């Protein structure tokens, strides 16, 4: 789709169903080609198209149309901020990928290169969002894996499903080196699904830090942790990112083991003996300190008002003294003038 035609479609005031559908297809095509798309315009297009479909039962039952709409909504969920939080956003994204997959299944096997790529991309998005939403509990093994779903089981023999199974199992095993190798097999989709790929890597590192490293070491250097959390040969977590992750984990309560940092020697000590309050006083002490500070502030304000009042009285007395002295000087001047007049008259006589 050339830029002028696409711009003309975006600027059109004709919000007919056909024009909106064509706009959505152009947005998706541009995203698949270059990942460059206005997500605000995409969201507006999806919203208008949904409004049109809500009044037509026959249109909403067309799998080809609905697959395009679900995929567009998945992109909006993936790239737009949500007031509901990150995991609600990813859950919505997974639901839209799954809706798209079901519609593609209804269409049937149209084995053109474009259709195969689109279906594999959607399937990859669904599996990656499922990995991100995995529960980090002891009962995790009892969860139904996405590969047990009927729509995926019937294509279990395909290369893409086998590759995704490898990614899933490597993530569960926290084998970061092998995870990178398995992810590389999905390189055809990594640009389009980069936010999901990056999140899978980040979660794998966090899980390995708290599940495999922290419980086994009482003391370990930051450099050694960086090596342990390296994904493949290149993706090595930086020292700053590692320190940020440690502090975030203790602040939001996700750290499974207490720790102490020695930034002079770049060492981390793990163990329950390092359980400390983030502040040096209890909540009650803090409330008392705040109340005391308010009392001191009120005392200072009262003293300040009294000082100003005393200064005002002193200034008034001083002014009265000055006025009295001025009056005395005035009377003295008048008296001197009268005496001079008397002396002058006496001399004349």
């Amino acid at each position: 789709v050339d830029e002028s035609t696409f711009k003309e479609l975006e600027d059109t005031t004709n919000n007919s169903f056909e024009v909106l559908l064509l706009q959505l297809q152009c947005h998706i095509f541009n995203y698949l080609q270059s990942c460059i798309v206005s997500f605000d315009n995409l969201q507006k297009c999806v919203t208008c198209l949904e409004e049109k479909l809500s009044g037509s039962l026959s249109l909403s039952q067309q799998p080809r149309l609905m697959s395009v709409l679900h995929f567009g909504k998945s992109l909006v969920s993936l790239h737009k901020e949500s007031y509901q939080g990150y995991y609600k956003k990813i859950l919505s994204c997974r639901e839209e990928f799954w809706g798209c997959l079901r519609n593609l299944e209804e269409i049937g096997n149209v084995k053109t290169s474009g259709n195969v790529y689109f279906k594999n991309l959607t399937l990859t998005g669904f599996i990656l969002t499922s990995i991100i939403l995995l529960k980090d509990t002891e009962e995790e093994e009892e969860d139904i894996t996405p590969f047990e779903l009927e729509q995926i089981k019937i294509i279990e023999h395909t290369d893409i499903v086998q590759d995704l199974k490898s990614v899933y199992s490597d993530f569960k095993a926290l084998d970061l080196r092998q995870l990178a190798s398995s992810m590389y097999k999905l390189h055809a989709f990594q640009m389009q699904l980069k936010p999901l790929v990056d999140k899978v890597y980040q979660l794998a590192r966090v899980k390995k830090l708290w599940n495999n490293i922290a419980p086994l070491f009482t003391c370990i250097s930051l450099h050694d942790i960086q090596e342990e959390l390296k994904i493949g040969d290149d993706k090595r977590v930086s020292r700053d990112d590692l320190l940020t992750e440690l502090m975030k984990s203790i602040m939001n309560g996700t750290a499974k083991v207490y720790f102490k940092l020695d930034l002079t020697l770049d060492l981390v000590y793990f163990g329950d003996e390092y359980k400390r309050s983030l502040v040096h006083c209890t909540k009650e002490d803090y409330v008392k300190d705040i109340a005391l500070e308010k009392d001191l502030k009120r005392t200072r304000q009262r003293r300040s008002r009294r000082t100003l009042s005393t200064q005002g009285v002193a200034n008034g007395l001083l002014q009265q003294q000055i006025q009295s002295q001025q009056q005395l000087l005035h009377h003295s001047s008048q008296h001197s003038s009268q005496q001079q007049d008397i002396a002058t008259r006496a001399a004349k006589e």
Side-chain angles (χ1 to χ4, degrees):
V1 183
D2 63 84
E3 188 175 344
S4 59
T5 304
F6 191 65
K7 188 71 170 61
E8 185 179 345
L9 277 172
E10 284 188 324
D11 294 341
T12 183
T13 57
N14 179 10
N15 283 332
S16 67
F17 172 79
E18 290 78 11
V19 171
L20 289 171
L21 179 58
L22 183 57
Q23 284 182 3
L24 179 56
Q25 290 172 325
C26 290
H27 280 303
I28 292 174
F29 179 82
N30 282 355
Y31 182 80
L32 297 180
Q33 291 295 310
S34 63
C35 295
I36 299 175
V37 65
S38 169
F39 292 103
D40 289 331
N41 291 339
L42 174 61
Q43 185 175 29
K44 181 181 177 182
C45 181
V46 165
T47 302
C48 292
L49 195 55
E50 276 192 301
E51 291 175 356
K52 296 283 185 183
L53 288 173
S54 63
S56 175
L57 180 61
S58 60
L59 288 175
S60 62
Q61 291 179 338
Q62 295 183 18
R64 192 178 299 276
L65 164 62
M66 293 305 297
S67 67
V68 174
L69 180 60
H70 279 302
F71 190 83
K73 290 173 70 176
S74 73
L75 295 184
V76 172
S77 297
L78 181 60
H79 291 279
K80 294 290 288 183
E81 292 298 325
S82 172
Y83 69 91
Q84 295 180 318
Y86 180 79
Y87 281 94
K88 287 283 188 181
K89 180 176 87 165
I90 294 299
L91 182 60
S92 173
C93 186
R94 182 177 70 168
E95 290 174 351
E96 298 304 335
F97 278 132
W98 181 239
C100 182
L101 277 176
R102 287 186 299 175
N103 291 136
L104 293 174
E105 182 65 25
E106 291 179 45
I107 295 171
N109 292 326
V110 184
K111 294 186 177 180
T112 64
S113 59
N115 287 335
V116 171
Y117 175 83
F118 184 70
K119 186 173 183 178
N120 289 348
L121 173 65
T122 305
L123 177 59
T124 302
F126 174 71
I127 297 299
L128 293 182
T129 50
S130 298
I131 289 174
I132 293 170
L133 294 170
L134 275 174
K135 297 176 184 176
D136 190 16
T137 63
E138 296 298 328
E139 292 78 21
E140 187 177 307
E141 295 296 334
E142 299 178 6
D143 292 344
I144 297 175
T145 72
F147 302 100
E148 296 177 49
L149 296 167
E150 190 62 33
Q151 288 85 347
I152 299 178
K153 284 182 71 174
I154 60 177
I155 56 172
E156 187 176 8
H157 62 282
T158 59
D159 292 340
I160 183 64
V161 174
Q162 294 302 313
D163 291 341
L164 289 170
K165 274 189 170 183
S166 297
V167 170
Y168 190 89
S169 60
D170 293 337
F171 178 87
K172 294 285 290 289
L174 299 179
D175 187 342
L176 302 189
R177 184 175 295 276
Q178 190 59 42
L179 177 63
S181 177
S182 298
M183 275 288 201
Y184 180 76
K185 297 176 183 177
L186 306 175
H187 65 275
F189 317 116
Q190 291 205 22
M191 180 176 71
Q192 290 76 12
L193 301 176
K194 188 177 186 304
L196 298 180
V197 172
D198 291 345
K199 187 62 177 179
V200 168
Y201 282 149
Q202 190 256 337
L203 282 177
R205 279 175 167 153
V206 172
K207 286 175 178 286
K208 182 159 187 175
L209 173 62
W210 296 114
N211 293 350
N212 291 11
I213 298 176
L216 299 181
F217 291 89
T218 56
C219 178
I220 185 173
S221 69
L222 290 176
H223 178 269
D224 288 342
I225 296 178
Q226 288 175 276
E227 288 297 314
E228 289 287 335
L229 298 183
K230 187 163 65 172
I231 296 176
D233 296 325
D234 302 323
K235 293 181 175 64
R236 185 172 183 263
V237 63
S238 70
R239 178 182 180 276
D240 288 345
D241 288 342
L242 176 56
L243 291 173
T244 300
E245 187 56 52
L246 286 166
M247 297 310 299
K248 280 171 56 180
S249 297
I250 204 68
M251 292 295 290
N252 59 27
T254 58
K256 294 185 177 182
V257 181
Y258 294 102
F259 66 90
K260 181 181 76 171
L261 286 172
D262 181 347
L263 296 181
T264 304
L265 300 175
D266 270 4
L267 297 175
V268 185
Y269 296 88
F270 292 107
D272 289 341
E273 61 269 29
Y274 303 113
K275 181 179 180 180
R276 295 286 187 277
S277 174
L278 292 178
V279 293
H280 295 294
C281 62
T282 64
K283 181 180 178 181
E284 291 74 15
D285 292 335
Y286 177 76
V287 172
K288 289 178 182 177
D289 288 345
I290 293 296
L292 180 60
E293 186 177 342
K294 288 181 179 178
D295 288 341
L296 289 172
K297 186 176 181 181
R298 284 194 291 266
T299 301
R300 293 192 197 101
Q301 289 174 343
R302 286 195 296 268
R303 286 177 179 174
S304 178
R305 285 195 292 268
R306 283 200 295 267
T307 301
L308 290 173
S309 177
T310 303
Q311 288 177 347
V313 172
N315 289 337
L317 291 173
L318 180 61
Q319 192 164 358
Q320 287 177 2
Q321 291 177 355
I322 292 173
Q323 288 175 351
S324 298
Q325 290 176 358
Q326 287 176 343
Q327 288 175 357
L328 289 172
L329 289 173
H330 180 67
H331 291 320
S332 175
S333 175
Q334 286 181 340
H335 182 69
S336 298
S337 178
Q338 288 174 358
Q339 286 182 340
Q340 287 179 358
D341 290 341
I342 292 172
T344 301
R345 285 197 298 271
K348 289 180 179 180
E349 292 175 357

